[in-house]
Amino acid sequence: MKKVLLSVLLVALLLTPMFAQGEKEGAAAAPKQIVLRLADNQPLGYPTIVGDEEFARLVGEYSNGRIKVEVYPQAQLADEKSAIEQVQFGGIDFTRVSISPLASFQPLLNALQMPYLYRDSAHMWSVLNGEIGQYFLDSMTEKGFVGLVYYDSGARSFYNTKKPIYTVADMKGMKIRVQESALMMGLVQALGAVPTPMAYGDVYSALQTGVIDGAENNWPSYDSSSHYEVAKFLSIDEHTRVPEMIIASKITMDKLSAADQALIKKAAKESQAVQVKAWADYEKKSEAKVRAAGSKINSISNQAEFAAAMAPLYESQLNAAQREWVAKIKAVK
């Protein structure tokens, strides 16, 4: 009996390395999950985060869970400019950003954010989702990025503490808060107003105390900042539509197979519809809220007058190549 037991133990000992080796080989054969990080500076629930999360979901679905995109909201990984830099050098895999800061890395993008460039939202999406938009996405590659998709951030209009704006003459002498941007300062100046660069957090008190007469932004920002409480007059001129973009690190993408790159691009494109709807819903809620609070809202019907005032700005801000792109954009039906 003892001999039988010893024989069984000996066989078991001999087979153990074989089973262990088989387990190792099986583990090695199992596909390893790829985890990629996406940075965004907006809070949870914001329309760009909704889009980011849909992109991440679709990547997971199309890769059968083999590729996981982790979304980091509220600038957890980096602020907008730092996130762009880290994506360029492969420290972060993706980021969702406005094309305004991105234009300092790829100046050609300035052609997509000029004032009174788009006739309306439909015109903008015809441009961005057509050959022109794809050209600009592809142009990111030479700067170390892969442009994946455009997202919506609405249109910006003027609001102030004094009166409705109907014509360019109505803006003469008004002190209007702007971002610290040559383009935005030039826009306000071209309309006869006085551009006043100021930190966003200081705008409410500046409007309240009369340091400035007005500012400009989109519906959700006019609402969430509570500027509607102190600047009741909102005049809808939709002077700028500045798209958002998800960009990938070229370093990251080059490490992936062609098939994985393709599925990431597909997921990004398909996430756009969800983000655009989320933005439209967000705008509607903000508009309803500020109207109910008593804001005096008017539309500027003669937008052509405002657009005509931008001619010197287009000349000073854009080079010849960018002006050619602007002409192509305006020609899109």
Side-chain angles (χ1 to χ4, degrees):
M1 186 69 180
K2 286 182 180 179
K3 286 182 179 180
V4 172
L5 286 172
L6 284 170
S7 297
V8 170
L9 285 170
L10 183 58
V11 170
L13 287 169
L14 288 170
L15 288 175
T16 298
M18 293 172 62
F19 286 123
Q21 182 64 27
E23 288 173 2
K24 287 179 183 177
E25 288 174 356
K32 184 178 179 182
Q33 188 178 53
I34 300 169
V35 179
L36 304 173
R37 300 186 302 164
L38 190 161
D40 197 309
N41 64 347
Q42 296 292 357
L44 286 170
Y46 192 81
T48 58
I49 301 295
V50 173
D52 296 341
E53 290 172 341
E54 176 66 2
F55 166 58
R57 185 190 73 78
L58 289 170
V59 169
E61 178 183 318
Y62 294 153
S63 68
N64 294 316
R66 188 171 46 79
I67 303 175
K68 181 180 181 183
V69 175
E70 295 178 341
V71 177
Y72 290 83
Q74 293 178 298
Q76 289 178 35
L77 297 183
D79 61 32
E80 203 167 35
K81 186 174 183 295
S82 298
I84 296 170
E85 291 171 344
Q86 290 192 52
V87 167
Q88 190 176 40
F89 295 109
I92 296 174
D93 304 299
F94 308 100
T95 187
R96 188 286 317 157
V97 290
S98 166
I99 68 167
S100 285
L102 199 53
S104 63
F105 294 81
Q106 173 50 290
L108 194 63
L109 291 175
N110 280 321
L112 291 180
Q113 61 174 340
M114 295 301 289
Y116 306 103
L117 175 64
Y118 305 105
R119 294 185 297 276
D120 50 29
S121 177
H123 177 215
M124 182 187 76
W125 287 114
S126 292
V127 171
L128 297 181
N129 288 337
E131 291 180 6
I132 292 174
Q134 189 59 51
Y135 178 88
F136 281 87
L137 288 176
D138 293 343
S139 77
M140 301 307 299
T141 305
E142 65 191 49
K143 305 298 180 182
F145 309 104
V146 177
L148 296 178
V149 67
Y150 297 100
Y151 278 176
D152 203 357
S153 67
R156 298 170 77 100
S157 294
F158 291 107
Y159 50 89
N160 74 92
T161 61
K162 296 185 176 298
K163 61 183 181 182
I165 296 166
Y166 293 100
T167 67
V168 170
D170 291 332
M171 294 197 65
K172 187 172 177 59
M174 273 193 179
K175 297 183 294 248
I176 304 292
R177 180 267 173 181
V178 293
Q179 300 157 301
E180 292 189 32
S181 151
L183 180 63
M184 291 308 298
M185 291 179 70
L187 160 64
V188 168
Q189 210 161 22
L191 295 174
V194 181
T196 309
M198 181 180 295
Y200 189 58
D202 297 333
V203 176
Y204 186 97
S205 61
L207 287 166
Q208 193 174 38
T209 57
V211 171
I212 56 174
D213 301 312
E216 53 81 46
N217 221 310
N218 53 42
W219 284 105
S221 295
Y222 180 55
D223 161 23
S224 63
S225 62
S226 298
H227 292 174
Y228 68 91
E229 295 176 351
V230 286
K232 291 286 186 186
F233 299 97
L234 172 63
S235 299
I236 303 170
D237 72 311
E238 298 183 337
H239 49 265
T240 54
R241 294 179 181 274
V242 180
E244 311 276 340
M245 190 187 288
I246 291 184
I247 53 173
S249 169
K250 187 174 183 301
I251 292 172
T252 295
M253 293 290 274
D254 284 348
K255 292 176 182 175
L256 302 175
S257 69
D260 285 348
Q261 290 182 43
L263 76 84
I264 284 171
K265 290 176 180 179
K266 174 180 165 69
K269 294 284 189 187
E270 292 182 2
S271 72
Q272 185 190 81
V274 169
Q275 193 276 335
V276 169
K277 183 181 184 304
W279 180 266
D281 293 344
Y282 199 64
E283 274 192 328
K284 285 175 187 173
K285 288 178 184 176
S286 293
E287 180 178 354
K289 177 180 174 181
V290 300
R291 284 185 184 276
S295 287
K296 310 298 182 185
I297 297 162
N298 71 283
S299 293
I300 294 175
S301 57
N302 188 13
Q303 197 185 66
E305 180 197 11
F306 286 74
M310 297 299 112
L313 184 66
Y314 274 66
E315 191 66 29
S316 64
Q317 291 292 317
L318 301 178
N319 59 36
Q322 291 166 328
R323 286 195 291 273
E324 285 182 17
W325 280 110
V326 164
K328 291 177 183 177
I329 289 166
K330 288 187 174 181
V332 172
K333 302 300 182 187

